[in-house]
């Protein structure tokens, strides 16, 4: 199964492509889409849409895995993340690729064995699992790869859970 | 000044077009885009994008006015509203139309004189201001018209405020 992991954001949107099956994972590509915070919001979203479309065309993933965002104290940050998530939903739909959501806890548990693992531990495990020479930077790139690994390993079970989520909305 | 007001939402997205200047306002069009809550999220966003594009082409507004959403207790609702807002940002950008945001308080104050007015009062005043035979239904349609009136009346002052907002993000 080929998974495109997306750590949604406008300033930095992490992207990672992984081929994987239970217990196995190979990195195909990793990157970060950056847009300047002083650019017009619509322009930033349009650029993200273009870049996501490029990745979908180039790597033809079977599924897109996105981090499910929860509201927290930083409302402005949650809103821009939600906007980036909407672009992922829209673009994946236009390319006919299903999209699934995983919580940060699910992702941490999948790659470290603990849903309460530190960010650094996630990066360390992603580096080991994918046998990379050095840790993916920035953290958004590592998080995108972790998402992709998480979904590839959870496989069809996660897809069934997503289908059962009321409304299916992130 | 012609304003397309957008009350963002996925289940119902209110749209209202108003021609207005200080103290005057005329309704050009009003409507609601609905998408079924059991449809795939990406499909709903794609449909909203298509419909918004249709309104932008048909009515050529000078500006799009959108309700600025704040996080509240209902996280799921805030997220879908934020997704719809992202589609408005993206679509307005692609059509080269500037987008501005107004808070519910600003909108209520503009049409009723009080930022703490009830929803019903907003609908009543929108009906009076636009000299409509009956109140616009559903409430999302009235809210979209109120947004458009609000922006048309605040005019360039609001645009200057928006330009000064740090990051300019909703």
């Amino acid at each position: 199964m080929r998974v495109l992991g997306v750590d949604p954001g406008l300033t930095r949107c992490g992207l990672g492509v992984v081929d994987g099956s239970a217990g196995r994972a190979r990195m195909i590509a990793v990157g970060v889409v950056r847009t300047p915070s002083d650019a017009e919001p619509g322009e930033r979203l349009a650029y993200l849409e273009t870049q996501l479309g490029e990745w979908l065309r180039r790597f033809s993933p079977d599924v897109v895995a996105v981090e499910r965002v929860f509201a927290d104290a930083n409302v402005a940050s949650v809103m821009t993340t939600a906007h980036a998530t909407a672009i992922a939903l829209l673009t994946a739909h236009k390319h006919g690729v299903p999209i699934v959501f995983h919580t940060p806890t699910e992702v941490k548990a999948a790659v470290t064995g603990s849903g309460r693992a530190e960010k650094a531990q996630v990066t360390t495990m992603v580096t080991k699992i994918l046998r990379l020479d050095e840790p993916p930077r920035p953290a958004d790139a590592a998080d995108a790869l972790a998402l992709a690994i998480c979904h590839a390993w959870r496989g069809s079970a996660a897809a069934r859970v997503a289908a059962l989520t009321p409304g299916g909305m992130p």
Side-chain angles (χ1 to χ4, degrees), chain A:
Chain A
M1 177 192 289
R2 175 168 290 189
V3 185
L4 167 58
V6 178
D7 183 28
L10 268 191
T11 304
R12 289 182 305 277
C13 181
L15 300 175
V17 181
V18 166
D19 278 352
S21 53
R24 297 175 57 249
R26 186 164 68 98
M27 184 178 86
I28 304 300
V30 65
V32 175
V33 176
R34 298 169 194 269
T35 66
S37 57
D38 59 351
E40 193 259 311
E43 188 177 350
R44 300 176 76 184
L45 294 174
Y47 181 74
L48 180 57
E49 183 191 34
T50 305
Q51 291 298 306
L52 272 175
E54 184 68 34
W55 278 65
L56 287 166
R57 268 188 300 279
R58 185 184 297 183
F59 299 109
S60 301
D62 299 305
V63 58
V64 174
V66 180
E67 185 166 309
R68 187 184 295 273
V69 178
F70 296 103
D72 64 13
N74 190 342
V75 174
S77 158
V78 168
M79 285 298 159
T80 59
T81 304
H83 291 175
T85 299
I87 299 306
L89 280 163
L90 182 72
T91 312
H93 170 77
K94 287 183 177 174
H95 284 78
V97 181
I99 195 164
V100 293
F101 288 85
H102 292 291
T103 64
T105 304
E106 288 170 345
V107 175
K108 287 174 183 176
V111 300
T112 75
S114 165
R116 294 188 303 274
E118 301 282 325
K119 256 189 175 301
Q121 202 183 337
V122 171
T123 298
T124 300
M125 284 309 296
V126 165
T127 310
K128 283 193 187 186
I129 290 166
L130 298 174
R131 297 166 196 232
L132 306 178
D133 291 335
E134 53 185 32
R137 298 278 180 235
D140 314 78
D143 286 349
L145 289 169
L147 264 160
I149 294 167
C150 171
H151 187 70
W153 284 3
R154 292 169 63 101
S156 58
R160 285 199 300 274
V161 170
L164 291 170
T165 304
M169 287 300 297

